[in-house]
Amino acid sequence: LDIRGELALLEASLQTSEGSHSGRRPFRVEVDVRLGTAPNLLELISYGDPRHEGCPIFLHCAMHAGVSPDTATEGRGSGNGDVSSMQSFLLLEDESGAPQAVPRSKLLAWLKQSCKGRPCPVSAVFLNSCDSEGIASAFVEVGVPHVVCCRGKVFDSACRLFTRAFYRSLANGRPVYAAFEYAKELVASAPQAGLRSEADKFLLLPQLEDPSSADSP
């Protein structure tokens, strides 16, 4: 993962938020970089950011996700040891910096315990990783209003193009749904023909029947 490159991309995309746009009140974005550990994630989900109480929090996750056999169901299928189901996982870091694969079921249990019936302080999550749709649904289940994710494998260049357009749109005052649709359209009309089909792999959850209800975080 090119974390420094992704951070530079985010900072450049958000620069335009310093002034007003279309009559909107000016606002400032502060980028806070934290290691992708379970304690950091759960603390943010539980308490938000005490330094900016009441401000919207947009959690951008630059980490790997994927799908693997669900070991809890292994061997329960046809009786010959077949795996009967697959489960999404999110790859965090442990206290020593080694990869820690967290299956969706465990992540969901952690998130529910952290929220404990309270409104989730996180306004939106962007899972900038391949195969992140299953993990995204766990965040939706605990009440995160907007979750951007990817279905299947996505080219890095498509992710960069989408990310730049999405955050630049948000910074210029577009609501989440409009920024998402704009970023998808930009990928779909990319000069490189091989990138255009990648646009449909970006998802915004939950999928809304009324896009006007997808307000900006």
Side-chain angles (χ1 to χ4, degrees), residues 7-46:
L7 176 59
L9 175 64
L10 291 176
E11 291 177 334
S13 301
L14 293 168
Q15 281 180 354
T16 52
S17 65
E18 296 295 335
S20 60
H21 178 79
S22 300
R24 294 177 180 267
R25 186 175 61 183
F27 61 93
R28 182 174 62 87
V29 177
E30 180 175 320
V31 179
D32 182 12
V33 182
R34 305 184 188 186
L35 291 176
T37 63
N40 282 345
L41 174 61
L42 299 182
E43 181 179 2
L44 196 61
I45 293 292
S46 299

Side-chain angles (χ1 to χ4, degrees), residues 141-192:
E141 198 165 329
V142 297
V144 177
H146 311 289
V147 185
V148 178
C149 60
C150 300
R151 174 176 289 166
K153 306 297 182 186
V154 186
F155 293 146
D156 287 345
S157 51
C159 285
R160 288 192 295 270
L161 184 60
F162 178 91
T163 300
R164 182 185 299 109
F166 178 69
Y167 282 113
R168 185 167 292 174
S169 295
L170 286 179
N172 280 280
R174 282 190 171 124
V176 172
Y177 182 84
F180 173 79
E181 287 297 311
Y182 171 77
K184 276 188 64 176
E185 182 59 32
L186 208 65
V187 176
S189 57
Q192 304 92 331

Side-chain angles (χ1 to χ4, degrees), residues 13-149:
S13 301
L14 293 168
Q15 281 180 354
T16 52
S17 65
E18 296 295 335
S20 60
H21 178 79
S22 300
R24 294 177 180 267
R25 186 175 61 183
F27 61 93
R28 182 174 62 87
V29 177
E30 180 175 320
V31 179
D32 182 12
V33 182
R34 305 184 188 186
L35 291 176
T37 63
N40 282 345
L41 174 61
L42 299 182
E43 181 179 2
L44 196 61
I45 293 292
S46 299
Y47 307 112
D49 189 341
R51 299 171 305 168
H52 304 286
E53 190 172 353
C55 294
I57 297 174
F58 205 123
L59 176 60
H60 182 92
C61 297
M63 55 186 65
H64 291 298
V67 181
S68 64
D70 184 355
T71 55
T73 62
E74 196 166 349
R76 296 182 190 173
S78 59
N80 58 3
D82 290 342
V83 175
S84 58
S85 69
M86 306 290 283
Q87 183 171 192
S88 301
F89 67 88
L90 187 64
L91 201 60
L92 301 176
E93 290 186 12
D94 63 17
E95 61 278 0
S96 63
Q100 179 185 10
V102 180
R104 183 192 183 279
S105 57
K106 179 178 286 189
L107 177 66
L108 180 59
W110 285 354
L111 294 175
K112 285 182 175 180
Q113 185 178 16
S114 297
C115 291
K116 294 181 180 177
R118 299 169 299 185
C120 181
V122 175
S123 301
V125 174
F126 187 161
L127 295 167
N128 196 16
S129 54
C130 299
D131 296 307
S132 52
E133 182 179 4
I135 294 298
S137 65
F139 284 98
V140 172
E141 198 165 329
V142 297
V144 177
H146 311 289
V147 185
V148 178
C149 60

